[in-house]
Amino acid sequence: MSLDDSDELNYLCTKVKFIHKYMGKNNCTYEDAEREFHIWIEGLMDSRIELANKMLNARP
């Protein structure tokens, strides 16, 4: 298994866990839960990018 395969597998496992938990908690459709997952993952990526930019800009 390559690193890309491992990353993809981790992403899919995270997605399945999130959607399963979200659907159980909110009694909604798969489509609603998937939409929320994408909103959550985009926010997570944005915050990581922002943190990386702060670290780069803080260098002396």
Side-chain angles (χ1 to χ4, degrees):
M1 183 183 312
S2 73
L3 184 58
D4 289 338
D5 291 341
S6 179
D7 290 344
E8 183 72 15
L9 184 58
N10 286 333
Y11 173 82
L12 291 174
C13 286
T14 301
K15 182 176 181 178
V16 168
K17 288 178 186 178
F18 180 97
I19 289 174
H20 179 71
K21 187 174 182 179
Y22 191 88
M23 286 177 69
K25 191 175 187 181
N26 295 292
N27 194 28
C28 63
T29 66
Y30 173 85
E31 290 79 14
D32 293 335
E34 187 175 30
R35 192 173 316 112
E36 286 299 317
F37 171 76
H38 288 290
I39 291 168
W40 174 74
I41 204 78
E42 286 174 16
L44 181 63
M45 294 307 294
D46 287 346
S47 66
R48 287 190 175 184
I49 291 168
E50 187 176 318
L51 178 61
N53 285 335
K54 284 181 183 176
M55 291 173 62
L56 287 172
N57 292 330
R59 292 179 60 192

